[in-house]
Amino acid sequence: MGEVLVLMEGIEKTFPGVHALSQCQFELRAGEVHALVGENGAGKSTLVKVLTGVYTKDAGRIFYKGKEVEIPNPRVAQELGISIIHQELNLMPHLTVAQNIFIGREPRRGIRFLLNEKEINQKTKQLLDMIHLDLDPRTKVADLTVAKQQMVEIAKALSYNSEVLIMDEPTSALSDAETQELFRIIRQLRDKGVGIIYISHRLEELKQISDRVTVMRDGRYIDTVRTQDVTIDKIISMMVGREIYETSRANPENASQEVVLEVKNLNRGRVIKNVSFNLKRGEILGFAGLMGAGRTEVARAIFGADPIDSGEIYVKGKKVDIKSPRDAVKCGIGYLSEDRKRYGLMLGMDVETNIVLATIEKFLGFLGWVNKARVRAEAQSHVDELRIKTPGLQQKVKYLSGGNQQKVVIGKWLARDCEILIFDEPTRGIDVGAKSEIYKLLNDLAESGKSIIMISSELPEILRMSHRIAVMCEGRITGELSASEATQERIMQYATMRENRENDARYSSVSVPDATALGG
Amino acid sequence: MESRPVTVKDKAILEDRAKDKAVLRRSLFRSDATQKILAFASLIVMFVVFSLASPNFAKFNNIIGILLATAVNGVLAVGVTFVIITGGIDLSVGTVMTFASVMTGVFITFWKLPIIIGVLGGVAAGALCGFINGSITAKMKIPPFIATLGMMMIAKGLSLVISGTRPIYFIDTPVFSKIAMGSVLGIPNAVLVFFGAAIIASLILTKTVLGRYTFALGSNEEAARLSGINVDAWKIAIYTLGGIFSGLAGVMMASRLNSAQPALGQGYELEAIAAVVIGGTSLSGGEGTILGTVIGAFIMSVLTNGLRILSIPQEWQTVVIGVIVIAAVYADIIRRRGQ
Amino acid sequence: MESRPVTVKDKAILEDRAKDKAVLRRSLFRSDATQKILAFASLIVMFVVFSLASPNFAKFNNIIGILLATAVNGVLAVGVTFVIITGGIDLSVGTVMTFASVMTGVFITFWKLPIIIGVLGGVAAGALCGFINGSITAKMKIPPFIATLGMMMIAKGLSLVISGTRPIYFIDTPVFSKIAMGSVLGIPNAVLVFFGAAIIASLILTKTVLGRYTFALGSNEEAARLSGINVDAWKIAIYTLGGIFSGLAGVMMASRLNSAQPALGQGYELEAIAAVVIGGTSLSGGEGTILGTVIGAFIMSVLTNGLRILSIPQEWQTVVIGVIVIAAVYADIIRRRGQ
Amino acid sequence: QAKERIYIPLISKGFQHQFWQAVKLGAEKAAKEFDVDITFEGPESESQVDKQIDMLQAALSKKPKAIALAALDSKAVIPLLEQAKAAGIPVIGFDSGVDSDIPVTTAATNNVAAAALAADKMAELIGYQGEVAVIVHDQTSRTGIDRRDGFVNRIKQKYPKIKIVDIQYGGGDHLKSTDLAKAIIMAHPNLKGFFGANEGSAIGVINAVTEMNMKGKIVVIGYDSGKQQIAAIRSGLMAGAITQNPIGIGYEAVKAAVMAIKGQKLPKVIDTGFFWYDKTNIDSPQIKPLLYD
Ligand SMILES: Nc1ncnc2c1ncn2[C@@H]1O[C@H](COP(=O)(O)OP(=O)(O)OP(=O)(O)O)[C@@H](O)[C@H]1O
Ligand SMILES: Nc1ncnc2c1ncn2[C@@H]1O[C@H](COP(=O)(O)OP(=O)(O)OP(=O)(O)O)[C@@H](O)[C@H]1O
Ligand SMILES: [Mg+2]
Ligand SMILES: [Mg+2]
């Protein structure tokens, strides 16, 4: 490890109602990958935002290569050679990939004002090739999947050639293959002497990629350790300060045989092709597949969020005609989307309103009068149940950390008391503690007779939680596995079972990567 | 929960609980109420300044005049507050108001219907326009700016067509003018109607489902839809409610002028929207209060009246109002930032 | 690239490649050009209908009349397109135009400066107003709706104050009226200036940094800020550019009327904004084209002219235009959805 | 103790237009002469009846010795006039009458008769037959309606061979009126005469005729004065126009207010008159003082 690049000490930051950082310290050396971990709301993002000039610190000192610096805005950080991939996507959806990557430093031609579009497209192409991302630089970002957008963010951060690169949960939207690609790039950079701050809730990644780990809790610095000296369990206990709930492998036998949801021959354009499956009472049905396999599409179609071309849906044996989410909710179906900010939350509104949003009709009196006391009690009960960390029911959701936001969305559907719950990537961007709570919650829900569809891109999670697993590829269900027969290998086999014969021929010899390489 | 030794986590929870209380205290202090009192303060300052500048300003008659001048625009502003909180806009409030007053005239003067039917009919005409605005916005997915711009023109044209481009007088029904101009304890009915409407609106906004959904639509419409809310229907309901207030304003206007003036109305939408925004409601939706709107409407009319009383030349009045509109919103922004 | 076994990742990439091609094909098909040709088609339809309805419509003189009637509003609309693409709005374009024409009058008629200085001065006056709009919006964080509403009133008041509420005539400088009313091959200069301004605007929007940041701000301002762009400075620049176009419109207006009319201007902003939106630019920012705006402006003026030629009573004209504004935007929405 | 100065507010129908500025000029002249204070204000457009009422209300709050009013809608102001009467404030009408006996006097132009005179002149100039069009500034305001109806009714009654082919409204906006007039001329190629019922409308017609090179082919008659109209009459572009006596209106209104305060007797109507002016009499001592530019 080389010289000390960044040294932060005594950092303080307070938001209205939240002491986000107190006496925080952090050290980054050249040529190391330094992981920053902690529960949701521990202050990780805040710390790196202070370092990159997004927030100004209340107190404390920052040294860059030994010299004390002030970083009042992102531009200064860029000029120092610090770049960041934010936890939330920060792209301009109406602009192309190339335009996004070179925003703010467009090559000019002629008199200084003319853009050189050709050059940025070329440079972008090179950059994308470097990270093995095959995209046309002229594609509009709005047309990309979240995962692709995340890769574009990574490409953008790389393009600065910075000496310090900060990645705030870069893998939360990535498939395992893409994650491996990212690690390859990170190692390359590290070998060149770049210092990397790596924030993630996927603790198994730490062992693969990080040299040192700094743990934060409740806005405070806990400790910095060398990764090879500690176990994951040790890190976890440092993070949460307690033991966490661990499921044994979900019981393969599902008690009930009663089918609560049956989907027959669902079709929607090219993204859903003849999807049929059923869901039994008290069952957790895992949906596995690669990025873009169509799992989200199926969920949205069932939920009535998108129109379908054909297909039948039966709830408890009765054929239902779901035309809108409203119909679905009436049939007792709840859907927790994969992009909570866009589809799940009213960011500008308080925790209470978000939790009771789908339920409020239950608390109405004469002329639509809302019974505030009952609403409050309902919301409070879910805040307590889910241990949502918030200063109060009136706190605006946008001020909660990502994990707590996710819990608020879950709270909304628990309040609604739906028979059938579809969880789309329920643990995306959530810390281990909260994750285990969510697992426990899913199990409790299933035990209490609710039926759950769980879409997840994390195979270990799928394997651990599901009674049964459906695997999708290219809009079709390519296989169904019971918990006992499921392994990562078999799931991957189904997940890559392509329709196109030509592709099959060309790739029949492809070896499925082994489980460890997939991050298991 | 099963019994287990107290862990670090539990301590953290206890600590959190203490922290929460502090936060709660702080957030009570910066509650909406406090904020509006501060906004109210700037209204008071304006009042004091004008009172010192002219002995005629703070006289009872002039205050009543200010209240009257606020009433119609205030009701319009209250109505458009709902639409703005959903993240929409309603440019048609002014001409819909006119349309409603023309329809009242048609019912009462042309068709000789009872006054109460005329009043309800006028309000219903406003509601209909609002309903159409809402339907165009919700079902045809036309941005509200355009939908209501279209409605602005349609209502304007129809008012002229229906009235035969002539004012409709309520000469045969002298009682009609009492709706706005009668008074209780010296306070004109129009003012009482305005306050009544504002109170009802405030209750709707804060205590009913409609109010909650108004905020929800403005905050994240897609999330609302995916929560099973019938977004289109509620949106139509909210625009209809806005139309009802425009209709009420139309009846008040007709009563005050004892006539339906078909050419009036355009330009009122900007005044109403300005009042809403000065009152702290955000044009991007998701937040706002009726009390703020009422204060905003008063700031506008106190200013206009005060400058008139001081006999400031009219062209300068325009300049001053322009500056104050910006300053008032800026003060609101500073205030929020300070908290 | 080092050689390595083909991985799942590669498969995904291949899959994506197919997808990307589809996207590419789709986006070629629904490229801006195609879309604008479709928008143009509805203009043509309108044209044909009016030509059939009245033999006087498609006469050369009337076409020139339509072109002239579009010129001033068109330049305003082109200017406000930039602001709208950033997700903002400019309600002051109409009165800023008036302010610029009054200043031109002051320079040329009152101060006897050379015409070219007067013209540049008028444009500069517009730019100044735009600069102030931008500064208030960017630095004071006042929503553009309010900032420019304030500016609308300020510019209106100042125009009256400066001109002494009297028109300023360009009687001593007959050449001045040639700026708009001279002609080349029968096409009035005003029309040529309009087309020139539109072409320059289009180049700025698509080929320069300013244009790029215009889209970036409208698409995701926070992301632009986090990318190190000096958002405030660029925003000010964009509003200033809008002001320059308003200034140009003011000079054209003054030249056409051979006088600066200080009482004119309010109401022009809604027409300009309507043209922009009819042209397919979204009020929520991030997308839009100058060609669309130009077509939108023509749709408005062809409609007005055609209805006049048909001697439709004016109140009905208002209704029809209201309906068509909504219909035009709806057609655009349907068209996009279809693709 | 200094004697309190007499204050008289004038509430007009507008303030931005030339005509009202001329009225204001006359009022100021009288104010100087009689040593009183005046203010002059009016709403932005002649449709804003309620704005005028607010202005009147604010003016009453200032406790003036007298008040002068050009009512946009005479019926709508009656409650306030009664208020003034109760407070002992004499009300003077100007520009157009108020349907009430509260105003002690009214200094006004008879717009209907004035427009009828324009119709007579038009008939004469186009040889008592052919197509004629009209642009009016406003569809609903008293002045707009009176001038339109005065012109149209006279044509209908006295000149059956003249056809009024189109009446449109340009809001007094010079630019809009120009485009409007052009469209009308396009739509009616045989148009022989064009009447613009206020300054903005008349200028619009002149602009249209110039832009379309129809000078000499269409007889243009205007209303009021102003630099451009006067120039157009001198150059023959406009055949002539009706002028009222705006300066006189303002002057008489203030003078009457002063007399009313002093308790002097006033006639019920002060007719300030209207005149036809064209190339021949534009510089005559009778016309010249009535024109403004
Ligand atoms: N802009 C803000 N305003 C108010 N509070 C904030 C703001 N940003 C963060 N917070 C609060 O600061 C604390 C730290 O949040 P931060 O986002 O840094 O956590 P994190 O460790 O990144 O969590 P996660 O893993 O969920 O992303 C949280 O309690 C959060 O609610
Ligand atoms: N809004 C959209 N517009 C266009 N195409 C979309 C949209 N959303 C998804 N798709 C496409 O639909 C297909 C199925 O995507 P979907 O999101 O359902 O996959 P998924 O299995 O849930 O994967 P992920 O892990 O990315 O969520 C993909 O080809 C994707 O690109
Ligand atoms: Mg974070
Ligand atoms: Mg998905």
Side-chain angles (χ1 to χ4, degrees), chain A residues 285-355:
Chain A
L285 174 63
F287 260 72
L290 294 178
M291 163 199 100
R295 296 160 298 168
T296 298
E297 291 285 337
V298 168
R300 285 178 59 94
I302 295 170
F303 191 61
D306 296 323
I308 54 171
D309 300 337
S310 66
E312 289 160 13
I313 298 170
Y314 298 84
V315 173
K316 291 193 187 151
K318 235 178 62 202
K319 182 161 187 240
V320 290
D321 186 18
I322 295 175
K323 286 215 172 64
S324 69
R326 181 167 186 73
D327 297 336
V329 172
K330 275 191 193 148
C331 295
I333 304 175
Y335 171 62
L336 190 116
S337 81
E338 61 184 333
D339 186 344
R340 57 178 173 266
K341 288 208 168 169
R342 246 170 73 202
Y343 301 124
L345 290 166
M346 315 266 157
L347 287 173
M349 299 186 72
D350 59 22
V351 172
E352 172 189 306
T353 306
N354 272 282
I355 291 180

Side-chain angles (χ1 to χ4, degrees), chain C residues 172-226:
Chain C
D172 311 331
T173 46
V175 182
F176 181 71
S177 81
K178 289 281 170 286
I179 293 173
M181 299 311 293
S183 65
V184 177
L185 302 174
I187 302 192
N189 288 346
V191 176
L192 299 176
V193 171
F194 167 41
F195 285 147
I199 290 169
I200 291 173
S202 187
L203 291 177
I204 293 177
L205 192 59
T206 56
K207 303 283 179 212
T208 71
V209 201
L210 187 68
R212 174 64 39 83
Y213 293 168
T214 304
F215 285 105
L217 292 190
S219 193
N220 188 344
E221 190 174 317
E222 185 58 17
R225 198 172 73 84
L226 292 177

